[in-house]
Amino acid sequence: MKDGIIVNGITDETLASYFDGTATADECRLILESLGESDELAEIMSISMAVDKDMALGLSLGQRRVEVIPMQAAAAAMGSSCACSVECEKYILNRRGVEYDERRISELAQEFNWQTELGTELHNIGRHLEASGLRVVRKYKCTIDDIVEALATNEDVIVAVDSTELTGDLAKARQTDILVGEKPDHAVVVLACNKLTDSVTIFDPNSPNPTDTYHIEQFRDAWEDSKTYMVTACERGAKPYAPSPILLDDVVLHSGINGLREAIAENAHEIWARNRMNEGWSYGPQRDDKLKQTPDMVPYAELSELEKNYDRNMAIDTIKLIYKLGYDIVKFHNTPLYAELRERLAHADKQDTCPRCGASMYDGQRYCDRCGEKIAK
Amino acid sequence: MSVKEYRPKPLELADVELSDDLMSLAETMARNVHEQWAATRIEQGWRYGEERSDSRKEHPCLVPYDELDESERVYDRNSAISTLKLITRLGYNITKR
């Protein structure tokens, strides 16, 4: 093998330009066509794809799809969990006369990742209130009326806002909306909301004042950046239970996840069937709770589409939830490039021989990898 | 009718280990599964009742996750843990962004 040539005249330099995206169309085709012929090339490509994946993960850290209220840098440096959301929660606990232990709050924050070095994810606001026995409800798409109603029924209200829009220059804040997109970066406690005077009074952990009052429109602008996200807290049993599942409508899954969906759905059916069987259930043409018979006691493949879809939807919701909570599910071998490689390898049986040296070749190969002969087409 | 007996075989997952990070993810998933279940039931006209009654549409589990019996929470938690283990066993990595 000539120095630096991996296969078919492909050099390290050709590969480097391929990964940089500067290779010519011919070079790209040659590399892809050669994947099936050289283990070395396949290995280099797969390592490089793994690196790409890591880089992609690293890069996406800066633009997480899960919204986060960042910790104050100073507080992070001090090593304590003084995130604004925690300050809001402590404020509420104090107001309600609930005792808490600072150290326990730090421990919980770390143990359950409620607060990380990046801050507090929106769905983790209020966890310390829950841990202290309060009933907490989290909701997007709330209105000023929702706040008024919550306050009127003695609930505590934390909202996520864009702090620049709330406290700063409105014109500047609008500009950052256009430049960096809408993003909540702060949590405050709403103390009063007066629609007659158009004013909202809040406790702001960042403010030197005990309370601050803003015009309702300015508050609304700042609040809208979190899709009007509101967290309410009250005593347990004080209100009827209103479930608030995390919204999953906005999560879009790529089709590569279908195999996983089917696997989760099938396994869920197997677990369900085994549990039912252990409870004495068996197959029957019609559901009968007394005889403990159900038509669904058959292998997943024999279930009706309706039943399969039930399991599938559960599986999809699970996958969406995992994404929404800030995790990626990555099967490295799912990348398009890997599929291409598999395709090439699968067709490696259509072999040919080199007219010059007789080495075996893959159908469509352009260079012999033993003697380097260019094959005329 | 087929006489072949159906024997459910869920994947054996006892030997799959999850990181602390994924265990805390499982807890959040379990919470949400309960919220989702409860939201659906309430939409269908169910409400809280000390004993389950299909005719009156009452269910003892229609309370916030934190007020559920520990056994119910263990069930929800274990389901979430098995799902994460299954995904791991199938060769996927679940990584925090």
Side-chain angles (χ1 to χ4, degrees), chain A residues 283-310:
Chain A
Y283 173 84
Q286 275 188 334
R287 175 158 176 149
D288 187 325
D289 285 9
K290 284 208 180 75
L291 288 174
K292 290 196 171 181
Q293 288 186 341
T294 163
D296 297 333
M297 196 63 84
V298 292
Y300 178 77
E302 291 170 31
L303 284 176
S304 68
E305 280 302 302
L306 194 74
E307 285 302 322
K308 278 188 200 163
N309 280 338
Y310 175 82

Short mmCIF file of all heavy atoms in Angstrom, two decimals, chain A residues 283-310:
data_model
loop_
_atom_site.label_atom_id
_atom_site.label_comp_id
_atom_site.label_asym_id
_atom_site.label_seq_id
_atom_site.Cartn_x
_atom_site.Cartn_y
_atom_site.Cartn_z
N TYR A 283 -56.60 -16.29 28.07
CA TYR A 283 -57.23 -15.85 26.84
C TYR A 283 -58.72 -16.22 26.81
O TYR A 283 -59.11 -17.30 27.23
CB TYR A 283 -56.55 -16.49 25.63
CG TYR A 283 -57.27 -16.21 24.33
CD1 TYR A 283 -57.03 -15.02 23.63
CD2 TYR A 283 -58.23 -17.09 23.83
CE1 TYR A 283 -57.72 -14.73 22.47
CE2 TYR A 283 -58.93 -16.80 22.66
CZ TYR A 283 -58.67 -15.62 21.99
OH TYR A 283 -59.35 -15.33 20.85
N GLY A 284 -59.54 -15.31 26.32
CA GLY A 284 -60.94 -15.59 26.08
C GLY A 284 -61.38 -14.71 24.94
O GLY A 284 -60.83 -13.61 24.77
N PRO A 285 -62.33 -15.14 24.13
CA PRO A 285 -62.73 -14.35 22.95
C PRO A 285 -63.31 -12.98 23.34
O PRO A 285 -63.26 -12.05 22.55
CB PRO A 285 -63.78 -15.21 22.26
CG PRO A 285 -64.21 -16.21 23.28
CD PRO A 285 -63.09 -16.39 24.24
N GLN A 286 -63.87 -12.90 24.57
CA GLN A 286 -64.41 -11.60 25.00
C GLN A 286 -63.92 -11.28 26.39
O GLN A 286 -63.71 -12.18 27.20
CB GLN A 286 -65.93 -11.66 25.00
CG GLN A 286 -66.50 -11.37 23.64
CD GLN A 286 -67.99 -11.24 23.64
OE1 GLN A 286 -68.67 -11.80 24.52
NE2 GLN A 286 -68.52 -10.53 22.67
N ARG A 287 -63.77 -10.00 26.66
CA ARG A 287 -63.31 -9.63 27.98
C ARG A 287 -64.37 -10.00 29.01
O ARG A 287 -65.55 -9.69 28.86
CB ARG A 287 -63.03 -8.13 28.05
CG ARG A 287 -62.66 -7.73 29.46
CD ARG A 287 -61.90 -6.46 29.58
NE ARG A 287 -61.73 -6.19 31.01
CZ ARG A 287 -60.71 -5.56 31.51
NH1 ARG A 287 -59.75 -5.15 30.72
NH2 ARG A 287 -60.62 -5.35 32.81
N ASP A 288 -63.92 -10.69 30.05
CA ASP A 288 -64.83 -11.10 31.12
C ASP A 288 -64.08 -10.98 32.44
O ASP A 288 -63.20 -11.79 32.74
CB ASP A 288 -65.29 -12.54 30.87
CG ASP A 288 -66.37 -12.96 31.86
OD1 ASP A 288 -66.31 -12.51 33.02
OD2 ASP A 288 -67.28 -13.72 31.47
N ASP A 289 -64.42 -9.95 33.23
CA ASP A 289 -63.69 -9.70 34.47
C ASP A 289 -63.90 -10.81 35.50
O ASP A 289 -63.00 -11.09 36.30
CB ASP A 289 -64.11 -8.35 35.08
CG ASP A 289 -63.51 -7.18 34.30
OD1 ASP A 289 -62.94 -7.42 33.21
OD2 ASP A 289 -63.62 -6.03 34.77
N LYS A 290 -65.07 -11.47 35.46
CA LYS A 290 -65.34 -12.53 36.44
C LYS A 290 -64.53 -13.79 36.14
O LYS A 290 -63.92 -14.37 37.00
CB LYS A 290 -66.85 -12.86 36.46
CG LYS A 290 -67.67 -11.81 37.18
CD LYS A 290 -68.94 -12.41 37.77
CE LYS A 290 -69.76 -11.33 38.48
NZ LYS A 290 -70.47 -10.44 37.50
N LEU A 291 -64.54 -14.17 34.85
CA LEU A 291 -63.77 -15.36 34.43
C LEU A 291 -62.28 -15.05 34.27
O LEU A 291 -61.48 -15.92 34.02
CB LEU A 291 -64.31 -15.90 33.10
CG LEU A 291 -65.67 -16.58 33.14
CD1 LEU A 291 -66.14 -16.93 31.73
CD2 LEU A 291 -65.60 -17.85 33.99
N LYS A 292 -61.94 -13.75 34.42
CA LYS A 292 -60.57 -13.29 34.19
C LYS A 292 -60.07 -13.71 32.80
O LYS A 292 -59.06 -14.39 32.66
CB LYS A 292 -59.63 -13.82 35.27
CG LYS A 292 -59.87 -13.19 36.64
CD LYS A 292 -58.71 -13.43 37.57
CE LYS A 292 -58.88 -12.62 38.85
NZ LYS A 292 -57.80 -12.79 39.78
N GLN A 293 -60.86 -13.35 31.78
CA GLN A 293 -60.46 -13.64 30.41
C GLN A 293 -60.38 -12.35 29.60
O GLN A 293 -61.19 -11.45 29.79
CB GLN A 293 -61.47 -14.59 29.75
CG GLN A 293 -61.37 -16.01 30.30
CD GLN A 293 -62.26 -16.97 29.55
OE1 GLN A 293 -63.20 -16.56 28.87
NE2 GLN A 293 -61.96 -18.25 29.68
N THR A 294 -59.41 -12.28 28.72
CA THR A 294 -59.29 -11.13 27.83
C THR A 294 -58.79 -11.57 26.47
O THR A 294 -57.92 -12.44 26.37
CB THR A 294 -58.36 -10.04 28.42
OG1 THR A 294 -57.98 -9.15 27.39
CG2 THR A 294 -57.12 -10.64 29.05
N PRO A 295 -59.34 -10.96 25.39
CA PRO A 295 -58.90 -11.32 24.03
C PRO A 295 -57.48 -10.84 23.74
O PRO A 295 -56.90 -11.23 22.72
CB PRO A 295 -59.92 -10.61 23.13
CG PRO A 295 -60.50 -9.53 23.96
CD PRO A 295 -60.44 -9.98 25.38
N ASP A 296 -56.95 -9.99 24.62
CA ASP A 296 -55.62 -9.44 24.35
C ASP A 296 -54.49 -10.34 24.85
O ASP A 296 -53.32 -9.98 24.74
CB ASP A 296 -55.49 -8.06 24.99
CG ASP A 296 -56.48 -7.08 24.37
OD1 ASP A 296 -56.85 -7.29 23.20
OD2 ASP A 296 -56.89 -6.14 25.07
N MET A 297 -54.84 -11.49 25.42
CA MET A 297 -53.80 -12.38 25.93
C MET A 297 -53.22 -13.22 24.79
O MET A 297 -53.31 -14.45 24.78
CB MET A 297 -54.41 -13.28 27.03
CG MET A 297 -53.36 -13.96 27.89
SD MET A 297 -52.36 -12.81 28.80
CE MET A 297 -53.39 -12.51 30.20
N VAL A 298 -52.68 -12.52 23.80
CA VAL A 298 -52.06 -13.17 22.63
C VAL A 298 -50.75 -12.44 22.36
O VAL A 298 -50.55 -11.34 22.88
CB VAL A 298 -52.97 -13.05 21.38
CG1 VAL A 298 -54.23 -13.88 21.54
CG2 VAL A 298 -53.32 -11.59 21.08
N PRO A 299 -49.85 -13.04 21.56
CA PRO A 299 -48.61 -12.33 21.25
C PRO A 299 -48.90 -10.97 20.60
O PRO A 299 -49.92 -10.82 19.92
CB PRO A 299 -47.89 -13.25 20.27
CG PRO A 299 -48.45 -14.61 20.54
CD PRO A 299 -49.87 -14.38 20.96
N TYR A 300 -48.00 -10.03 20.82
CA TYR A 300 -48.15 -8.66 20.30
C TYR A 300 -48.52 -8.67 18.82
O TYR A 300 -49.41 -7.93 18.38
CB TYR A 300 -46.86 -7.90 20.53
CG TYR A 300 -46.85 -6.48 20.01
CD1 TYR A 300 -47.51 -5.47 20.71
CD2 TYR A 300 -46.19 -6.14 18.82
CE1 TYR A 300 -47.51 -4.16 20.24
CE2 TYR A 300 -46.18 -4.84 18.35
CZ TYR A 300 -46.84 -3.85 19.06
OH TYR A 300 -46.83 -2.56 18.59
N ALA A 301 -47.85 -9.54 18.04
CA ALA A 301 -48.06 -9.57 16.60
C ALA A 301 -49.51 -9.91 16.23
O ALA A 301 -49.99 -9.53 15.17
CB ALA A 301 -47.11 -10.57 15.95
N GLU A 302 -50.20 -10.62 17.13
CA GLU A 302 -51.57 -11.02 16.83
C GLU A 302 -52.62 -10.06 17.36
O GLU A 302 -53.82 -10.26 17.18
CB GLU A 302 -51.83 -12.43 17.40
CG GLU A 302 -51.05 -13.51 16.67
CD GLU A 302 -51.12 -14.86 17.38
OE1 GLU A 302 -52.15 -15.13 18.02
OE2 GLU A 302 -50.13 -15.61 17.30
N LEU A 303 -52.18 -9.00 18.03
CA LEU A 303 -53.12 -8.00 18.53
C LEU A 303 -53.73 -7.23 17.36
O LEU A 303 -53.12 -7.12 16.30
CB LEU A 303 -52.39 -6.99 19.42
CG LEU A 303 -52.01 -7.41 20.84
CD1 LEU A 303 -51.22 -6.27 21.48
CD2 LEU A 303 -53.24 -7.72 21.66
N SER A 304 -54.91 -6.68 17.57
CA SER A 304 -55.50 -5.83 16.54
C SER A 304 -54.68 -4.55 16.44
O SER A 304 -53.98 -4.17 17.37
CB SER A 304 -56.94 -5.50 16.92
OG SER A 304 -56.94 -4.67 18.06
N GLU A 305 -54.77 -3.88 15.29
CA GLU A 305 -54.03 -2.63 15.10
C GLU A 305 -54.42 -1.62 16.17
O GLU A 305 -53.60 -0.84 16.65
CB GLU A 305 -54.30 -2.04 13.72
CG GLU A 305 -53.52 -2.68 12.59
CD GLU A 305 -52.00 -2.60 12.79
OE1 GLU A 305 -51.47 -1.48 12.92
OE2 GLU A 305 -51.35 -3.66 12.83
N LEU A 306 -55.69 -1.66 16.57
CA LEU A 306 -56.18 -0.72 17.57
C LEU A 306 -55.40 -0.89 18.88
O LEU A 306 -54.95 0.07 19.49
CB LEU A 306 -57.68 -0.96 17.80
CG LEU A 306 -58.42 0.13 18.56
CD1 LEU A 306 -58.61 1.34 17.66
CD2 LEU A 306 -59.75 -0.40 19.06
N GLU A 307 -55.25 -2.17 19.28
CA GLU A 307 -54.53 -2.46 20.51
C GLU A 307 -53.05 -2.12 20.38
O GLU A 307 -52.43 -1.58 21.28
CB GLU A 307 -54.70 -3.94 20.89
CG GLU A 307 -56.06 -4.26 21.47
CD GLU A 307 -56.37 -3.42 22.71
OE1 GLU A 307 -55.45 -3.17 23.51
OE2 GLU A 307 -57.52 -3.00 22.86
N LYS A 308 -52.50 -2.48 19.20
CA LYS A 308 -51.08 -2.17 18.97
C LYS A 308 -50.86 -0.66 19.06
O LYS A 308 -49.88 -0.20 19.63
CB LYS A 308 -50.63 -2.65 17.60
CG LYS A 308 -50.28 -4.12 17.55
CD LYS A 308 -49.68 -4.44 16.19
CE LYS A 308 -49.77 -5.93 15.92
NZ LYS A 308 -49.58 -6.25 14.52
N ASN A 309 -51.81 0.09 18.47
CA ASN A 309 -51.66 1.55 18.48
C ASN A 309 -51.68 2.11 19.90
O ASN A 309 -51.02 3.09 20.18
CB ASN A 309 -52.73 2.21 17.62
CG ASN A 309 -52.36 2.16 16.16
OD1 ASN A 309 -51.18 2.01 15.83
ND2 ASN A 309 -53.34 2.26 15.29
N TYR A 310 -52.45 1.47 20.76
CA TYR A 310 -52.47 1.92 22.15
C TYR A 310 -51.07 1.78 22.75
O TYR A 310 -50.54 2.73 23.32
CB TYR A 310 -53.49 1.08 22.94
CG TYR A 310 -53.50 1.40 24.41
CD1 TYR A 310 -54.20 2.49 24.89
CD2 TYR A 310 -52.76 0.62 25.30
CE1 TYR A 310 -54.19 2.79 26.24
CE2 TYR A 310 -52.74 0.91 26.65
CZ TYR A 310 -53.46 2.00 27.11
OH TYR A 310 -53.43 2.30 28.45
#
